[in-house]
Amino acid sequence: MADPAFAIGGLRALFLQALYPRAMAGVAQNSDLSAPPWGRLLRTARYVHTVTFGTSEQAQRAAARVRAIHRALWAADPDSGERFRLDDVQALLWVHVVEAESFLSTARRAGLRLSAAEVDRYYGEQVRAAQLVDIDPQLVPATAAQVADYYARMRPQLRLSDQAAHAARFLLWPPMSAKAQLYGARAGWLAVTGTAFGLLPGWARHLYRLPGLPGGDVPPAVTARLLRTAAMTLPTPLRRGSPILQEARARAAAVGYG
């Protein structure tokens, strides 16, 4: 979760999460999708880092805030019209599984080496993150095989809604100041988001009506490796990560770990 490919994995998760209409409706009906996304992206990353690297107390506080927001907000199912609260278990489970799988698969395809046992250990650890937002741990896939089975069960329910298409376009081409674009921010952002999109499963790209990529899955994986390698060559101060990650490393070092 501290790997340099974290940001690419998070963006991949957003593209994939949007294909579940119920989850997408919950976001679209309670957010301004035309507003710059930077604040939302940073808040999401901060929450994930807090749950992953914070103390138990910090993780519980962050999760309590998210649970309170979910309880207070409602949306309408785009197919049935049924009103549901944002703590809808199936939507929360989809968001959790896609997030965990995206972080893992992106890091591995970008060059992080993990054994099959380590992969299953990671998924098992992520069950605790799901519990923090009140998902029954018995529902949460805890191995790579269970994640694959979960995706197979969910695929018939996935589709490209108008809201998902709008969110994907907006994520690929968000508003930027002329100054930021002058310094190459647009090209850099497209490189990262384009890579994230290219790392989607083939069936997900098909739902986005972009089933084929020249060279198959190789180009985005190569780009992910290049971006990860470039990030790892940055000066040490730029590679330290968020303050909460630095605090976690200090706590680990204090007890002789790492």
Side-chain angles (χ1 to χ4, degrees):
M1 301 295 278
D3 192 85
F6 173 84
I8 302 174
L11 291 167
R12 177 192 186 270
L14 293 177
F15 285 120
L16 190 49
Q17 287 164 349
L19 292 174
Y20 183 35
R22 197 172 176 95
M24 186 66 238
V27 174
Q29 294 173 33
N30 289 281
S31 303
D32 180 5
L33 294 182
S34 64
W38 319 118
R40 291 195 302 275
L41 293 174
L42 287 173
R43 286 192 296 272
T44 300
R46 190 177 300 120
Y47 173 78
V48 173
H49 262 219
T50 300
V51 168
T52 306
F53 301 114
T55 63
S56 295
E57 182 182 356
Q58 288 171 326
Q60 291 287 356
R61 282 203 308 266
R65 288 193 293 270
V66 169
R67 292 196 304 270
I69 292 170
H70 288 166
R71 285 194 298 268
L73 297 179
W74 292 74
D77 187 289
D79 297 318
S80 67
E82 173 197 0
R83 294 270 295 168
F84 65 94
R85 255 180 14 188
L86 295 202
D87 56 0
D88 174 82
V89 172
Q90 295 306 317
L92 289 178
L93 182 61
W94 171 251
V95 169
H96 167 80
V97 175
V98 169
E99 184 178 88
E101 185 273 330
S102 289
F103 287 140
L104 177 77
S105 64
T106 299
R108 294 185 83 189
R109 294 175 72 184
L112 180 66
R113 294 184 179 182
L114 294 173
S115 67
E118 288 171 326
V119 167
D120 284 347
R121 177 181 172 184
Y122 164 83
Y123 281 127
E125 291 170 348
Q126 291 305 304
V127 173
R128 298 182 67 186
Q131 287 180 273
L132 285 172
V133 289
D134 284 345
I135 302 175
D136 184 345
Q138 297 299 316
L139 299 176
V140 184
T143 66
Q146 290 176 6
V147 169
D149 287 344
Y150 174 77
Y151 274 168
R153 294 196 306 272
M154 288 296 295
R155 282 179 60 181
Q157 302 180 53
L158 307 180
R159 64 178 175 84
L160 182 65
S161 65
D162 291 341
Q163 293 170 334
H166 172 77
R169 287 193 299 269
F170 186 75
L171 195 57
L172 285 165
W173 197 266
M176 287 186 182
S177 68
K179 184 176 180 180
Q181 295 186 61
L182 181 64
Y183 283 97
R186 175 73 68 193
W189 182 252
L190 277 173
V192 174
T193 53
T195 300
F197 188 90
L199 291 173
L200 289 170
W203 51 262
R205 294 198 305 270
H206 182 80
L207 289 174
Y208 273 110
R209 299 168 190 155
L210 291 171
L213 292 173
D217 293 339
V218 174
V222 170
T223 305
R225 283 177 177 262
L226 292 173
L227 291 171
R228 180 175 183 264
T229 300
M232 293 174 73
T233 62
L234 292 172
T236 300
L238 297 178
R239 288 188 286 110
R240 287 176 179 160
S242 65
I244 203 159
L245 173 56
Q246 294 179 49
E247 292 167 7
R249 285 175 170 154
R251 288 196 307 273
V255 295
Y257 181 82

